[in-house]
Amino acid sequence: AELEARKGFGTIWALFVMHCFYPQTYPLFDQHVYRAYRSIVTLQKECPVSTCTAWADYTGYRNFFLAQVEAVVLPYWEVDRALWAFGKHIKQFAWAVSGAARQVRGGAHDNTAMIDEMSGGLNDEWVHSTTFGGKAKSFWWKIDSEGNLSILRFFKSSNGVSEKFKRISREEIEKLNLYMAENEWVSLANNVEKLGNGVEKEGIGRFLYENFKWNIADCQLASHLGVIFSLSGMWEYNGKERGILFRRLNRDWRELVKDYYVSQ
């Protein structure tokens, strides 16, 4: 109560201070661990987007957390990291799934029949994902032992189904992630018309266009790279359908992407 009464302090900051003094008594509390907690105790029926700041909810999480520490016989900080990572993953996965569901309901670019038709000839090396945003688009990707990414997209037209393949080298990915590290939140900036007219704002698509000399169509892969790196925990996605932004969270992108790729 004393901490909350101070200017700039709410429940979450008050809990953070309490955690600093008594880390094993008051576990850290944020949107990711809360989401993991609610998903587990409701058998995946709930996936809250933000943290609940009611003390009753924190008490429930605290009891759950301490029970997990006792059950798995691990240090409290390892349990905290595991719940945080799980909560972040299911949030990003839920965004991708909900985007695909909106797309199917609205009859947008993809539908189930089209996906089946397009992907029928692909082997198990390819992972299927969908872009974020209001009109999620299907694509397939894989990463090789050297860290090179391959992205495959299919397009349906009056002439049938055509495919578009792009190999992205490890060197290109490393340069892109260095660019991300130099900024905070970074825009997609991959509007076809604006790139063509030279008026697109600073962001990922423009970086690909200016630094790698990709054609404008390939610069649309800014959206697809954002999904791959967000779901693997390399980047963070702001959760918006419009005004999509990303920021870099981790340095070791190769291991994170490979681990996520293998898990799929």
Side-chain angles (χ1 to χ4, degrees):
E2 180 183 346
L3 287 169
E4 282 192 310
R6 294 175 179 268
K7 184 178 180 180
F9 272 84
T11 304
I12 302 303
W13 278 108
L15 285 170
F16 175 72
V17 173
M18 293 166 67
H19 169 77
C20 291
F21 281 98
Y22 308 103
Q24 298 187 55
T25 304
Y26 297 101
L28 286 169
F29 193 56
D30 64 10
Q31 60 167 303
H32 298 307
V33 298
Y34 178 66
R35 184 179 308 109
Y37 157 61
R38 294 307 303 168
S39 177
I40 292 170
V41 300
T42 64
L43 302 179
Q44 300 181 348
K45 293 180 181 178
E46 291 185 16
C47 185
V49 175
S50 58
T51 311
C52 183
T53 56
W55 280 102
D57 287 275
Y58 177 73
T59 300
Y61 171 72
R62 178 179 176 274
N63 293 337
F64 164 82
F65 178 85
L66 296 178
Q68 297 305 308
V69 172
E70 183 177 355
V72 299
V73 195
L74 288 172
Y76 73 89
W77 57 269
E78 288 191 12
V79 177
D80 172 71
R81 286 186 179 182
L83 289 170
W84 184 87
F86 178 56
K88 186 177 70 166
H89 170 76
I90 60 177
K91 177 181 180 181
Q92 293 167 336
F93 181 74
W95 281 330
V97 171
S98 64
R102 285 193 302 274
Q103 175 186 358
V104 170
R105 288 197 301 271
H109 175 77
D110 294 327
N111 54 50
T112 303
M114 183 177 175
I115 290 173
D116 290 342
E117 176 185 355
M118 293 187 302
S119 62
L122 296 181
N123 58 36
D124 292 338
E125 292 181 353
W126 293 91
V127 171
H128 173 251
S129 294
T130 55
T131 57
F132 299 140
K135 293 184 178 180
K137 297 180 181 179
S138 287
F139 67 97
W140 286 258
W141 63 277
K142 61 183 177 180
I143 185 170
D144 63 25
S145 59
E146 300 299 319
N148 305 300
L149 274 175
S150 296
I151 297 179
L152 186 62
R153 296 172 288 167
F154 293 90
F155 300 90
K156 194 171 185 179
S157 67
S158 57
N159 296 324
V161 177
S162 61
E163 66 179 53
K164 191 168 183 63
F165 172 84
K166 178 69 175 178
R167 181 181 181 274
I168 306 167
S169 70
R170 181 184 67 188
E171 291 76 18
E172 288 176 316
I173 298 170
E174 288 176 348
K175 288 178 182 178
L176 173 59
N177 277 298
L178 285 174
Y179 164 73
M180 295 294 292
E182 294 170 355
N183 299 275
E184 183 61 17
W185 288 96
V186 183
S187 171
L188 274 180
N190 64 341
N191 181 277
V192 172
E193 184 177 352
K194 290 181 178 180
L195 283 174
N197 294 331
V199 296
E200 181 57 285
K201 61 187 173 184
E202 182 72 23
I204 300 169
R206 179 176 162 185
F207 177 85
L208 301 175
Y209 185 66
E210 294 180 347
N211 291 270
F212 300 157
K213 308 306 178 184
W214 287 9
N215 61 50
I216 292 176
D218 284 342
C219 291
Q220 301 310 297
L221 293 177
S223 300
H224 305 67
L225 290 170
V227 171
I228 294 169
F229 289 133
S230 294
L231 294 181
S232 61
M234 178 64 194
W235 293 0
E236 182 178 6
Y237 161 48
N238 70 344
K240 304 291 186 181
E241 291 189 4
R242 294 185 178 182
I244 291 176
L245 301 172
F246 296 98
R247 66 175 174 179
R248 199 181 86 160
L249 294 177
N250 294 287
R251 295 171 59 89
D252 194 359
W253 68 268
R254 290 179 62 187
E255 291 304 315
L256 287 169
V257 175
K258 283 183 179 180
D259 287 348
Y260 177 74
Y261 172 74
V262 170
S263 72
Q264 302 304 299

